[in-house]
Amino acid sequence: MKNEVPMYRVLFKRITQMIKEQELSPGDRLPTERELMDEFGVSRATVVRAMTELENSSVVKRIQGKGTFVSGEKLNLHLPGLTGFSEDLIMSSGQPRTKVVSYEIGSEMKESKYFSEEDRELIYIVRLRLSGEDPIGINYNYVPYTIAKTIGFLPENIDANPSTSLYRLLDEYGYQLDYADQFLEAKAATRTEAKLLNIPPGAPVMSYERVTHTTTGRVVEFVRATIAGNAYRYSIRLYRNGSGNQIGGKFPYLRKKE
């Protein structure tokens, strides 16, 4: 006896086909549960199951109070390469935007240990990173306050120019970036992060810590970042004989992982 395909799989395949054939595009809002029930003659439980499968496959994303939308394409980031969010997004034909969530200035932050004595006074800025109107990640930036004032990396300037790029400002003012130590890991989104990123609490996200150095050895940035799990795709070429750029090993500036 031939097994019948479950209706939620039929609906799943139909929606993915519509996206593939460009009947639905990234950012488009999907029909409501009731509309899908009426169009396909299925129960609400079937629609909910299909939507859950689509969301788990990163085909769609649900935004509470707004509906379900077709996910955008992932940003492709080729490692190793010292690039910022704005550069990554522009290379993926996106529109980088930033919203300041909060900030503070001080010299007693525990992150001051990553910087030289003269750079211990820091500005700490939490920034929501967006592609157009879609939240993609959160940056928790620590920058020496003297540098931030010099290059204009200040909350009021970021609010006035949402496309502000820290790395572009550093380059423009002669702070030539050389390398960064970075640690990547997967984690679950906190409630605060989930609210900012429009994802469910506990949803998988990617997290990294980075310490960025100039060619003179000066540390100009320590950043923690949280990125929506369906937003980025990292790629790297690995060499069997150890040639090429080295990735991995111990990062002396990052906190010890238990």
Side-chain angles (χ1 to χ4, degrees):
M1 182 177 178
K2 186 177 180 180
N3 293 327
E4 292 187 1
V5 178
M7 283 305 299
Y8 80 88
R9 290 299 303 175
V10 173
L11 183 54
F12 177 97
K13 290 182 178 180
R14 175 57 184 142
I15 292 175
T16 54
Q17 182 182 9
M18 291 171 69
I19 295 171
K20 188 174 182 180
E21 295 178 355
Q22 299 184 337
E23 294 179 46
L24 289 170
S25 302
D28 284 353
R29 186 178 182 277
L30 267 63
T32 65
E33 288 182 358
R34 171 53 61 186
E35 289 169 340
L36 290 171
M37 289 166 59
D38 292 342
E39 181 176 351
F40 290 92
V42 296
S43 67
R44 181 177 181 275
T46 296
V47 172
V48 170
R49 177 71 183 276
M51 291 298 105
T52 299
E53 294 290 327
L54 288 164
E55 186 175 26
N56 290 342
S57 300
S58 298
V59 176
V60 303
K61 59 182 177 182
R62 296 177 183 176
I63 300 178
Q64 188 173 4
K66 295 185 178 180
T68 303
F69 299 82
V70 178
S71 297
E73 295 184 6
K74 292 187 177 183
L75 302 183
N76 288 307
L77 181 59
H78 299 280
L79 297 177
L82 180 51
T83 56
F85 170 85
S86 297
E87 295 165 318
D88 295 338
L89 196 54
I90 290 171
M91 286 188 290
S92 298
S93 301
Q95 297 178 321
R97 292 182 61 250
T98 297
K99 291 182 180 179
V100 175
V101 178
S102 64
Y103 75 95
E104 63 179 282
I105 300 166
S107 56
E108 301 299 326
M109 302 179 191
K110 64 179 182 179
E111 289 77 12
S112 295
K113 64 185 179 183
Y114 300 114
F115 300 85
S116 62
E117 285 293 336
E118 61 268 25
D119 286 332
R120 291 298 175 93
E121 185 178 24
L122 305 175
I123 185 167
Y124 167 55
I125 304 181
V126 180
R127 297 184 293 161
L128 179 64
R129 315 309 302 272
L130 306 99
S131 174
E133 297 297 324
D134 296 327
I136 289 179
I138 307 165
N139 279 20
Y140 307 86
N141 288 95
Y142 299 82
V143 176
Y145 188 45
T146 55
I147 293 178
K149 288 190 296 183
T150 298
I151 67 176
F153 186 67
L154 300 170
E156 57 269 26
N157 296 338
I158 298 171
D159 286 337
N161 181 10
S163 63
T164 296
S165 164
L166 172 58
Y167 284 8
R168 185 174 66 244
L169 289 173
L170 288 168
D171 285 340
E172 288 176 356
Y173 282 84
Y175 296 92
Q176 187 176 351
L177 302 183
D178 186 14
Y179 72 95
D181 292 325
Q182 181 163 307
F183 189 93
L184 290 164
E185 64 181 352
K187 69 168 194 171
T190 65
R191 289 189 176 276
T192 299
E193 291 169 338
K195 185 176 181 180
L196 288 170
L197 295 173
N198 287 330
I199 58 177
V205 294
M206 184 157 45
S207 175
Y208 69 76
E209 294 180 347
R210 176 187 292 180
V211 182
T212 306
H213 303 249
T214 67
T215 52
T216 64
R218 188 176 185 180
V219 175
V220 292
E221 173 202 39
F222 173 73
V223 59
R224 292 189 179 97
T226 298
I227 302 168
N230 63 351
Y232 263 74
R233 179 172 61 189
Y234 285 86
S235 63
I236 179 173
R237 176 172 292 179
L238 303 175
Y239 292 86
R240 179 67 171 176
N241 62 7
S243 64
N245 292 288
Q246 181 180 358
I247 292 182
K250 296 180 180 178
F251 297 154
Y253 298 94
L254 302 183
R255 72 177 187 275
K256 183 178 180 181
K257 302 292 180 180
E258 298 296 334

